[in-house]
Amino acid sequence: MKSIIFILSFFISFSSASSVEITTANQTVKEQKIKSDLLSLHKQYDLTSWLYTKEVLIDENAKVPFSHPVITMSTQKKYLEDRVKLLSTYLHEQFHWHVIVNGKPNIEEFQARIKQDFPTVKVGFPHGSRDEGSTLSHIIVCYLEYIALAELVGEEKARQNLSSNGYYKWVYATVLDPANKEKLDKLLSEFGLEFRETKRK
């Protein structure tokens, strides 16, 4: 029985790795390292449920990772040395796509609804994003990142990872605050972004 479970787990993780197309911009050693680690993470974990786009570019010249028009991962030291950080940020960028592809309201309604529950936000580095609207959107993206990461690496490691980030510090503190869980869960349901029930079926 154990051998059957192992084979099934291997097949699922292999399918996850084979379904994403990861390319490098300059074929440098650092880019190849990030590519290898991402493919390894796909084999270690079943990330299929969180692949909202399957094209990923790794670019040593990118200052930070970003999601559009193609998920682009940078080669910063923290990602080269810490695979949990790499996994977390990769999920973060995938969830930007989830919000756009599967979210119900348009961006203005989306941000206005979040503002009802979080009327005062901290904007700008290191607290939030570049403006209020983007910071509001990141509350949802970072909460999705937290949920998925906790499922994959455990609650304690997920909280430790996100709370140690030197950016979006107010946003991560907000999503990690247990007092906000009910509000955040309700927002995910309203926006059509909740994935936990689907995964349990």
Side-chain angles (χ1 to χ4, degrees):
M1 185 65 179
K2 287 183 179 180
S3 61
I4 294 173
I5 293 172
F6 174 79
I7 291 169
L8 287 173
S9 298
F10 177 81
F11 178 76
I12 291 170
S13 60
F14 179 78
S15 298
S16 172
S18 62
S19 63
V20 64
E21 181 182 348
I22 303 175
T23 58
T24 56
N26 308 289
Q27 294 77 51
T28 65
V29 172
K30 288 182 179 179
E31 289 176 355
Q32 294 293 346
K33 172 69 164 58
I34 296 294
K35 178 179 180 178
S36 176
D37 284 349
L38 279 177
L39 288 171
S40 180
L41 286 166
H42 269 279
K43 291 175 182 178
Q44 182 178 358
Y45 303 106
D46 179 16
L47 304 180
T48 308
S49 298
W50 301 308
L51 291 182
Y52 302 103
T53 178
K54 297 180 180 180
E55 292 183 44
V56 180
L57 174 67
I58 303 162
D59 188 354
E60 192 169 290
N61 295 318
K63 292 183 178 180
V64 295
F66 53 89
S67 60
H68 285 74
V70 175
I71 286 184
T72 301
M73 302 297 293
S74 66
T75 60
Q76 292 162 274
K77 184 179 179 182
K78 59 187 172 185
Y79 301 129
L80 291 166
E81 296 181 350
D82 189 335
R83 286 175 46 158
V84 173
K85 287 268 181 227
L86 178 63
L87 174 62
S88 185
T89 300
Y90 178 56
L91 290 169
H92 179 105
E93 304 308 337
Q94 287 283 355
F95 284 127
H96 273 294
W97 277 83
H98 180 36
V99 167
I100 290 174
V101 173
N102 300 315
K104 289 180 179 177
N106 60 42
I107 189 64
E108 290 79 13
E109 293 170 333
F110 177 74
Q111 292 173 351
R113 174 64 188 89
I114 300 167
K115 189 174 174 62
Q116 290 177 18
D117 286 342
F118 299 95
T120 305
V121 303
K122 290 187 177 181
V123 174
F125 183 83
H127 308 292
S129 193
R130 62 186 178 275
D131 54 41
E132 182 183 73
S134 182
T135 301
L136 287 165
S137 296
H138 270 92
I139 291 174
I140 297 302
V141 171
C142 292
Y143 187 53
L144 289 164
E145 175 188 0
Y146 165 57
I147 293 169
L149 191 64
E151 183 173 321
L152 293 170
V153 304
E155 177 83 16
E156 183 178 351
K157 191 174 288 187
R159 294 183 69 88
Q160 181 181 35
N161 173 71
L162 297 180
S163 62
S164 68
N165 285 337
Y167 53 90
Y168 300 150
K169 294 181 77 66
W170 176 85
V171 178
Y172 283 122
T174 298
V175 303
L176 292 175
D177 185 346
N180 293 324
K181 183 181 186 304
E182 185 176 348
K183 287 191 292 188
L184 290 166
D185 286 343
K186 184 178 179 181
L187 287 171
L188 292 189
S189 295
E190 287 183 25
F191 297 149
L193 298 172
E194 178 61 81
F195 56 75
R196 285 169 289 189
E197 288 301 321
T198 303
K199 286 175 68 65
R200 280 197 283 265
K201 290 180 181 178

